[in-house]
Amino acid sequence: MHCLWCDKQIIVEVTWDNFLYPDKPKKLCIECKSQLTKITGAICKLCGRKSEDEQCKDCERWGGNRQWSKVLSFNRSVYSYNPMLQAMIAKWKYRGDYQLVEAFQTDFREAFKQIVRACPKDTVVVPIPLSDKRRYERAFNQAEALTQLLEVPYQCLLTRREGEKQSKKTRQERLSSTNPFQIIEVVRNPIILIDDIYTTGITIRHAAKCLIDAGCPTVYSFTLAR
Amino acid sequence: MINSIIPSLRAYFSPSYDWIPKATSNLVANQPLSLRYGGKLLLREDIELDDTTFDTLCRQSYFQMIPALEQYLSGYRCKRCGNKTQHLFAKFACARCGNSHHYCRKCVEMGRVLACQPLYYWTGPPPVWEGCDDPLLWNGTLTKHQQLASSEIAHAMEKGRAELLTWAVCGAGKTEMLFYGIANVLRAGKRVCLATPRADVVRELLPRFRHVFPKTTIDGLYGGSEDKAGTGQLIIATTHQLIRYAQAFDVVIIDEIDAFPYHADPTLPFVTKRAAKPSAAMIYLTATPRHNQLQRIRTNRLPVVFVPVRFHGHPLPVPTFCSCSRLKQTLATSQAPQAFYQWYYNRKEKERQLLIFVPRVDLAERMVSSLSANLSVSAISAVHAADTDRADKVQQFRDRKLFVLVTTTILERGVTFPSVDVAVIDAGHSVFDQAALVQIAGRAGRSPDDPTGEVVFFHDGKSEAMVGAVKTIKAMNKKGEQA
Ligand SMILES: [Zn+2]
Ligand SMILES: [Zn+2]
Ligand SMILES: [Zn+2]
């Protein structure tokens, strides 16, 4: 095996343990792996970022906005969005190096198993979609690629229009601009949305609102990075 | 069956470029497009034309499609970067075509090659450059040795279908030796590429060439460069950037051909050779040829021209050895060896700045504080490869705002300071191979105003590389005396 990030050969030392029960092949070498930071310990109950307060500063601002704070029950994420993860996500998503997703599989699955315990049994897994244009450009949807790592059934319930450039707008302007998501199929189950990054939470809340308005009782989200 | 396997295997193992299509005959000239796309091998997303225009051009054979990934019996090969390392081809469910297929991970940073997307090669009329009567605006003079090399280079460039290695000592003034040859080629309306493995070399050469070839269109290409189009008659580029070219140049010059990572990454020789026309002249410049080049020189398969004397006519400084007891223990405490301080205070020219080479990044940074305490100089800094302020610090050293610069091998080449002494701490360490040590020694005595300089190898046991470096330097000096 070669490290998916630095391409160095990964040498697995054979011990009695892994001789009898071979480990899953490692996708990242020890040095690369050590540069990813899993979110552990105290977190914000709402957005899942590392935080000593029960609700982080960012989420307090959501609290002031009834319409938007309630659409998402909670978000949980696997890693902190540090420079290493930024570089990896950039190469994976923007350069289109699909295979890098495998580097996240073990941690992503493990964290997911923990998190769905807090969700009702009949929760449906839904990846955040891309617009047709973006999907063509990238030739894959990164949220769906992550969802497939989980090896659980999932449904694509949403579509997405190509929105205008959002980055220059304020949070309020972005929220009140038209919701880029549309629902394909109505379900009455709780939903857990899957995406690569939770940054401002606006994208995920837009998707969540769309589902809640269509009659979903609760929406959670689970992302790779926060 | 066997008949179809053999050519396929041959195609797989030899870097032949016969898959590059010839120009379509009898097409109406379209000079703007020829300039923009001539000699380029591109992905569709690199071509800034709308679909209608592009489709029409394809139908008329101005562009031709080339499958990007080819499957041989022995595995895949990427025609864009030459990758045939099988674990660097990954399979995925492609949302563009709806099939599962491979893509090349090796060159994905330069735009992704998907099995379902072809590459495009310009087969319209080749670009035409107005022959310029006197492109060269330079009134410097060449030394006897430079002149000799210059005319051999010019001859090879004119003749084409030839290779020539210019083995010129550090400080020989090799850039100037290229001027006349390049001027001839440009005058004939031909196209030239000056490539090098190192981006800092591109940045250094670009203004010099723009200055002496003011009428020529020149593009400088490196990761993050301002010029992106790469449409010039003269292209100065890192070898990485040649991934977008195929059979574009009548002359390809590779400066510092032995520098990292040219030989460590098979993509670079692959794309560099592909960028040259079959009729092209290949000129290599180096002060420290690699083993495989030496082998080819020795067996008369690679013509060579020597420039054994520096442009100022003085011999190369010969390194001296200084053995240090308990060197490893001293270094473990981030101190410089006692012998170093003794040498420092007894230097012949105390005004000279000091370049100190150390084998490791962490040592470079930590040694700064112990040095400034012991040398009673405060203007000391350290640089290494990942240092974002590297260019700044090098400039400060050049401006004499820094008196001592501690560095890893990153400054072994490509930088010129007028008046320095050079110390190599732990010169026996394996990062200092023979070529590195010759290059490092070549930092001293660069200016005609101070053509000498001390070079000292501090060690705890002579390495083969150290002995070899001194031997080569002495041999070059001898060659210089005789010539
Ligand atoms: Zn690695
Ligand atoms: Zn490739
Ligand atoms: Zn495809």
Side-chain angles (χ1 to χ4, degrees):
Chain A
M1 253 328 268
H2 290 254
C3 172
L4 279 178
W5 185 246
C6 71
D7 199 36
K8 223 171 52 195
Q9 187 146 23
I10 303 174
I11 297 146
V12 184
E13 264 182 62
V14 181
T15 62
W16 286 109
D17 263 8
N18 64 19
F19 181 78
L20 296 172
Y21 303 100
D23 296 337
K24 272 194 122 184
K26 298 256 183 305
K27 302 290 181 171
L28 291 179
C29 70
I30 296 168
E31 288 96 279
C32 292
K33 177 84 207 221
S34 72
Q35 291 181 61
L36 291 175
T37 323
K38 274 202 245 182
I39 300 176
T40 51
I43 55 166
C44 166
K45 294 273 174 296
L46 208 55
C47 73
R49 76 146 57 133
K50 224 172 159 39
S51 161
E52 292 306 321
D53 304 318
E54 287 230 329
Q55 212 175 68
C56 72
K57 294 270 168 322
D58 199 41
C59 287
E60 265 172 32
R61 290 173 62 199
W62 283 114
N65 188 327
R66 297 217 142 257
Q67 189 199 357
W68 291 101
S69 68
K70 289 278 177 277
V71 295
L72 186 67
S73 295
F74 65 69
N75 173 72
R76 291 293 178 268
S77 308
V78 185
Y79 302 118
S80 295
Y81 196 36
N82 66 3
M84 175 66 168
L85 189 56
Q86 263 175 52
M88 288 182 80
I89 289 184
K91 192 171 181 197
W92 170 52
K93 180 163 124 177
Y94 299 116
R95 295 280 158 214
D97 191 359
Y98 181 89
Q99 202 186 18
L100 274 177
V101 76
E102 292 174 12
F104 309 127
Q105 178 154 27
T106 314
D107 289 345
F108 197 69
R109 273 176 70 167
E110 241 164 61
F112 181 78
K113 277 188 204 150
Q114 295 284 321
I115 277 129
V116 280
R117 284 200 205 129
C119 307
K121 275 257 168 317
D122 58 341
T123 303
V124 173
V125 180
V126 177
I128 294 279
L130 286 180
S131 68
D132 288 345
K133 185 168 168 243
R134 285 271 168 280
R135 205 169 113 88
Y136 181 84
E137 268 171 24
R138 294 194 189 147
F140 67 90
N141 172 3
Q142 73 277 3
E144 200 170 340
L146 284 169
T147 308
Q148 284 163 354
L149 294 181
L150 301 173
E151 293 173 359
V152 296
Y154 66 93
Q155 292 182 39
C156 297
L157 298 180
L158 297 168
T159 59
R160 184 181 193 163
R161 277 184 303 103
E162 185 54 42
E164 326 128 58
K165 267 260 171 275
Q166 296 281 322
S167 46
K168 285 213 179 85
K169 295 181 183 167
T170 64
R171 177 199 292 236
Q172 205 47 53
E173 282 169 341
R174 286 179 59 177
L175 279 173
S176 46
S177 65
T178 33
N179 192 327
F181 296 101
Q182 272 168 331
I183 200 144
I184 312 174
E185 196 190 324
V186 177
V187 293
R188 300 283 172 200
N189 302 52
I191 303 280
I192 184 160
L193 291 167
I194 310 288
D195 205 1
D196 55 341
I197 319 171
Y198 179 112
T199 357
T200 58
I202 291 173
T203 307
I204 281 173
R205 279 188 171 76
H206 266 144
K209 181 143 194 323
C210 188
L211 292 162
I212 297 272
D213 288 350
C216 289
T218 29
V219 178
Y220 313 94
S221 65
F222 178 55
T223 70
L224 184 68
R226 171 71 179 95
Chain B
M1 179 61 185
I2 195 79
N3 280 341
S4 66
I5 294 171
I6 289 164
S8 152
L9 277 178
R10 187 175 301 141
Y12 180 77
F13 285 110
S14 72
S16 98
Y17 305 107
D18 48 16
W19 45 269
I20 299 165
K22 303 269 172 299
T24 314
S25 42
N26 304 324
L27 285 178
V28 181
N30 187 332
Q31 176 70 355
L33 287 180
S34 293
L35 273 179
R36 192 145 27 122
Y37 298 116
K40 299 269 186 71
L41 184 67
L42 298 172
L43 296 167
R44 176 66 184 95
E45 37 280 50
D46 297 331
I47 300 170
E48 290 166 1
L49 295 170
D50 62 75
D51 283 344
T52 332
T53 315
F54 182 68
D55 290 346
T56 314
L57 288 168
C58 285
R59 237 178 300 118
Q60 296 167 338
S61 298
Y62 279 88
F63 282 105
Q64 260 182 59
M65 286 195 326
I66 299 168
L69 296 190
E70 265 206 330
Q71 200 173 3
Y72 297 91
L73 277 175
S74 33
Y76 280 94
R77 178 158 190 172
C78 173
K79 282 193 171 142
R80 184 158 176 263
C81 70
N83 174 28
K84 35 180 189 171
T85 303
Q86 296 308 306
H87 75 261
L88 293 178
F89 293 100
K91 199 172 185 184
F92 80 122
C94 173
R96 281 201 192 173
C97 68
N99 295 318
S100 265
H101 60 65
H102 285 81
Y103 69 97
C104 176
R105 295 193 67 216
K106 183 75 203 289
C107 59
V108 77
E109 284 289 355
M110 310 283 280
R112 181 179 49 190
V113 166
L114 296 170
C116 66
Q117 310 282 306
L119 294 165
Y120 294 93
Y121 187 67
W122 176 257
T123 48
V128 180
W129 281 280
E130 297 296 323
C132 174
D133 280 343
D134 36 16
L136 180 63
L137 196 85
W138 184 66
N139 47 22
T141 47
L142 296 173
T143 65
K144 179 178 80 182
H145 295 286
Q146 282 179 312
Q147 223 155 44
L148 192 81
S150 168
S151 66
E152 286 219 26
I153 289 169
H155 179 71
M157 285 181 177
E158 201 172 0
K159 197 173 87 183
R161 273 185 213 283
E163 289 180 295
L164 176 67
L165 181 126
T166 308
W167 186 344
V169 294
C170 301
K174 53 190 158 87
T175 310
E176 292 83 350
M177 297 186 272
L178 297 171
F179 288 166
Y180 289 116
I182 292 179
N184 284 338
V185 178
L186 294 176
R187 202 176 292 128
K190 291 182 182 172
R191 198 173 191 192
V192 181
C193 175
L194 174 48
T196 165
R198 294 179 53 134
D200 47 358
V201 177
V202 176
R203 282 192 291 263
E204 191 203 297
L205 291 177
L206 194 57
R208 292 175 69 186
F209 275 86
R210 288 209 166 118
H211 192 73
V212 298
F213 292 104
K215 296 177 214 163
T216 308
T217 49
I218 303 177
D219 280 323
L221 305 176
Y222 49 89
S225 61
E226 279 164 38
D227 306 338
K228 289 266 184 265
T231 54
Q233 187 182 4
L234 173 57
I235 300 284
I236 303 178
T238 56
T239 45
H240 279 100
Q241 296 294 320
L242 298 181
I243 199 163
R244 299 202 178 87
Y245 290 88
Q247 302 193 345
F249 302 103
D250 301 284
V251 169
V252 173
I253 304 151
I254 312 175
D255 193 6
E256 306 264 7
I257 188 170
D258 62 304
F260 186 80
Y262 191 76
H263 293 273
D265 182 355
T267 290
L268 301 177
F270 176 84
V271 299
T272 307
K273 281 179 205 144
R274 186 187 61 202
K277 289 182 184 173
S279 60
M282 308 286 292
I283 312 289
Y284 314 128
L285 304 178
T286 173
T288 45
R290 295 211 157 230
H291 187 73
N292 62 340
Q293 290 147 356
L294 293 177
Q295 208 78 52
R296 292 185 62 209
I297 293 170
R298 220 165 268 151
T299 51
N300 291 323
R301 281 177 296 152
L302 178 60
V304 62
V305 53
F306 285 96
V307 189
V309 180
R310 292 182 151 182
F311 77 96
H312 55 48
H314 295 264
L316 299 162
V318 179
T320 52
F321 294 165
C322 182
S323 169
C324 314
S325 55
R326 298 168 56 79
L327 179 63
K328 295 284 184 293
Q329 288 95 316
T330 317
L331 293 180
T333 59
S334 310
Q335 301 285 332
Q338 204 49 46
F340 165 81
Y341 291 111
Q342 269 164 22
W343 166 75
Y344 177 81
Y345 286 110
N346 292 306
R347 289 194 300 160
K348 292 179 206 90
E349 290 292 335
K350 300 213 165 46
E351 286 301 288
R352 271 189 211 132
Q353 287 170 284
L354 186 57
L355 255 181
I356 302 175
F357 286 85
V358 294
R360 298 193 320 268
V361 177
D362 58 319
L363 199 56
E365 298 204 321
R366 282 183 296 145
M367 202 178 273
V368 168
S369 53
S370 77
L371 282 171
S372 40
N374 287 303
L375 297 183
S376 53
V377 208
S378 56
I380 300 185
S381 195
V383 289
H384 55 83
D387 189 345
T388 43
D389 300 330
R390 188 168 101 212
D392 271 352
K393 289 179 185 168
V394 168
Q395 193 54 47
Q396 284 174 29
F397 190 67
R398 216 169 258 150
D399 299 340
R400 296 188 68 95
K401 283 178 192 141
L402 287 172
F403 187 68
V404 179
L405 195 58
V406 188
T407 175
T408 58
T409 54
I410 188 71
L411 291 190
E412 74 177 36
R413 57 172 88 212
V415 285
T416 309
F417 307 108
S419 178
V420 292
D421 282 335
V422 178
V424 184
I425 309 266
D426 198 6
H429 192 286
S430 61
V431 300
F432 297 118
D433 61 21
Q434 186 174 326
L437 290 170
V438 171
Q439 292 283 354
I440 286 170
R443 299 308 103 203
R446 292 298 279 262
S447 152
D449 300 326
D450 185 14
T452 54
E454 295 178 52
V455 180
V456 187
F457 292 168
F458 295 92
H459 67 95
D460 58 356
K462 280 183 230 172
S463 66
E464 259 176 62
M466 289 163 61
V467 177
V470 170
K471 220 166 142 188
T472 327
I473 290 169
K474 283 184 174 163
M476 271 296 179
N477 282 343
K478 196 166 166 199
K479 213 173 173 67
E481 276 167 33
Q482 289 164 347

